[in-house]
Amino acid sequence: MVEGTVTRLVIDRDRLAGVELDRGSVVAPAAIFVRPRFVASNGLLTGLGCQVDGNGWVVVNQRGRTSVPGVWAAGNAVDPRAQVITAAGAGSAAAIALHADLVEQDVQRAIADARPFSAALERQVTEAVLADRRHGL
């Protein structure tokens, strides 16, 4: 194993012939392993004002809710380890939570807008629905 910072790849006839290190030495490789560098793709979410952690990953709760109301995130936007299937599962879970949140908002709005039931309201609804077809009321 050779440690160092790669400054360039030495290519000969379309093949990797060596790796030049920052010390100036060229190492002929038998095999090369490169650690992936994960970078958060967070431009849209940070543009909306979402909070990120020290590494740039968007911070969410267990259900995928971000620090911005109405904004949800999942998968590899929030977790560098999330591969396709994990990201898809997290996206599905966030979508379910988002739907539940929207339903809750609708219920609260309906409750706030509801008029209390009364005999006068029943009479008004009956007249609007049945008009002269009503009988016995």
Side-chain angles (χ1 to χ4, degrees):
M1 182 165 85
V2 178
E3 291 189 28
T5 302
V6 175
T7 56
R8 76 180 181 99
L9 300 176
V10 180
I11 308 296
D12 182 27
R13 287 179 250 160
D14 272 346
R15 293 190 179 262
L16 181 61
V19 177
E20 184 175 318
L21 302 176
D22 55 350
R23 297 183 297 267
S25 61
V26 175
V27 178
I32 295 179
F33 297 93
V34 179
R35 180 179 64 92
R37 184 175 158 245
F38 299 107
V39 178
S41 180
N42 62 13
L44 173 65
L45 295 165
T46 57
L48 293 172
C50 295
Q51 178 185 355
V52 295
D53 66 16
N55 295 314
W57 301 99
V58 177
V59 176
V60 295
N61 69 5
Q62 290 178 321
R63 295 171 36 145
R65 185 188 307 256
T66 69
S67 58
V68 176
V71 178
W72 301 71
N76 56 11
V78 301
D79 180 359
R81 299 167 295 148
Q83 296 179 352
V84 174
I85 195 68
T86 308
S92 176
I96 291 166
L98 185 148
H99 180 259
D101 192 55
L102 292 173
V103 169
E104 176 65 22
Q105 287 178 15
D106 285 348
V107 168
Q108 293 303 322
R109 190 174 301 119
I111 290 170
D113 293 345
R115 294 185 291 174
F117 182 77
S118 66
L121 179 60
E122 181 179 10
R123 188 172 29 259
Q124 180 183 357
V125 169
T126 301
E127 288 173 4
V129 172
L130 298 176
D132 13 335
R133 294 176 297 156
R134 63 193 169 110
H135 54 83
L137 296 177

